[in-house]
Amino acid sequence: MKKIGLLLSSVLLTGALAACGDSSGGGEKALNEKKLVVGVTAGPHEQIVEVAKEVAAKDGLEIELKVFSDYILPNTALSEGDLDANSYQHGPFLDTFNKDHSTNLVTVGKTILNPMGVYSDKYDSVDDLPDGATFGLPNDPTNGARALYILEENGYIKIKEDKRETASIYDIEENPKNLKFIELEAAQIPKQLSEVDAAAINTNFALDAGINPKEDSILLESSNSPYVNYIVVRAENKDDPTIQKFVKAYQSEEVKKFIEEEFQGSVLPSWDE
């Protein structure tokens, strides 16, 4: 009877520990070896993963796409286990999401850069901007800092060293052209371009307005930008072979060729950088 009691206690303890293991945000979710559910946002990310889906199929992996129209739900769905991976965001956005939502989502492979561009209806280069020129930039912290980073990288301003990753217009310590920064709603900047001397515009909003980043920008973000996009998964799945198979399909020559031909420089493959 004593042995039976010990055995029963051991079984109960094992069950309790297993239950405890499921208490942290839904617990570890085992992945299907032959199928992944991947979240994307509509537009270039969806188009590109459609091609990666075809490549993955040749390797015996089925990809089911779920398309989202906002930037929060793909991470929420991934964290809750409704997705196996997503592909739509850059590192700074992910870092902020993890911090704000106490999640543990991680990157597993670079995808693309949607290069932010500087545009002007009045001038052909940033060098031509006069002293005191007005400069529009997105009013959200992530993209505002990104616009300032582009200007600093090209020598037009200098940002305080300890503020570079979270810079705002109040963190500029050198501004030789005395640019007057005007913070605007990112989606509205293309419509307001004529009202300023120059402005920084996100690629998706530029494309929606019929603006070609490669042809129409007077300054374009470089491919070594920290705002490269990634495939993102839950931390416990980062080394999963099925995830690695999807990363391999995405980072294939077929996908790279599609990006280069379809977007003509307005979207850049970034995994070889």
Side-chain angles (χ1 to χ4, degrees):
M1 290 294 292
K2 187 174 182 181
K3 289 182 178 179
I4 293 174
L6 288 173
L7 179 61
L8 180 60
S9 297
S10 176
V11 170
L12 291 173
L13 178 60
T14 301
L17 289 173
C20 289
D22 286 338
S23 66
S24 58
E28 186 169 324
K29 178 179 170 61
L31 300 183
N32 187 323
E33 293 181 1
K34 296 184 178 180
K35 178 180 178 180
L36 290 178
V37 182
V38 179
V40 295
T41 48
H45 290 294
E46 179 186 4
Q47 291 175 263
I48 295 167
V49 176
E50 284 283 6
V51 179
K53 174 181 176 178
E54 296 175 4
V55 177
K58 299 175 185 177
D59 201 18
L61 177 62
E62 178 185 352
I63 303 296
E64 177 185 343
L65 262 65
K66 289 193 175 180
V67 183
F68 296 83
S69 58
D70 83 340
Y71 293 149
I72 300 298
L73 287 177
N75 275 344
T76 302
L78 177 59
S79 178
E80 293 177 351
D82 296 325
L83 300 176
D84 299 316
N86 65 43
S87 177
Y88 77 101
Q89 65 193 309
H90 53 60
F93 181 89
L94 175 62
D95 292 341
T96 300
F97 183 92
N98 277 330
K99 182 178 179 181
D100 291 347
H101 297 83
S102 300
T103 48
N104 190 17
L105 305 178
V106 300
T107 63
V108 290
K110 289 183 178 181
T111 58
I112 58 174
L113 174 68
N114 296 310
M116 177 180 278
V118 175
Y119 303 85
S120 175
D121 284 344
K122 305 170 185 175
Y123 301 97
D124 294 328
S125 76
V126 179
D127 289 337
D128 294 338
L129 294 178
D131 185 78
T134 54
F135 191 99
L137 75 168
N139 62 2
D140 64 283
T142 298
N143 286 305
R146 184 177 183 180
L148 295 176
Y149 177 87
I150 296 169
L151 291 175
E152 183 184 54
E153 186 181 37
N154 288 275
Y156 294 109
I157 62 171
K158 184 176 180 181
I159 302 168
K160 295 175 183 176
E161 185 66 33
D162 61 338
K163 297 289 186 178
R164 186 160 286 115
E165 293 183 2
T166 58
S168 74
I169 58 176
Y170 303 106
D171 299 314
I172 299 170
E173 59 181 16
E174 292 183 18
N175 182 7
K177 282 184 171 290
N178 297 306
L179 298 174
K180 296 178 181 178
F181 293 99
I182 302 173
E183 296 177 308
L184 303 167
E185 176 64 35
Q188 298 303 314
I189 296 179
K191 298 177 182 178
Q192 297 173 293
L193 184 58
S194 62
E195 300 172 19
V196 294
D197 293 312
I201 304 177
N202 293 79
T203 293
N204 56 322
F205 297 130
L207 293 173
D208 287 345
I211 300 171
N212 185 301
K214 185 176 182 180
E215 296 178 2
D216 300 327
S217 65
I218 61 173
L219 183 63
L220 196 62
E221 187 173 22
S222 69
S223 59
N224 64 355
S225 165
Y227 294 92
V228 166
N229 289 290
Y230 290 90
I231 295 168
V232 173
V233 301
R234 292 180 296 278
E236 66 263 24
N237 298 136
K238 65 184 178 67
D239 297 319
D240 190 284
T242 312
I243 292 295
Q244 297 306 315
K245 187 179 288 189
F246 173 57
V247 173
K248 179 182 176 183
Y250 193 111
Q251 296 180 344
S252 65
E253 282 300 313
E254 294 98 318
V255 171
K256 183 178 182 180
K257 183 179 179 181
F258 170 79
I259 294 170
E260 292 173 343
E261 293 180 352
E262 177 70 18
F263 300 106
Q264 297 292 309
S266 60
V267 175
L268 305 173
S270 298
W271 52 89
D272 289 333
E273 299 299 331

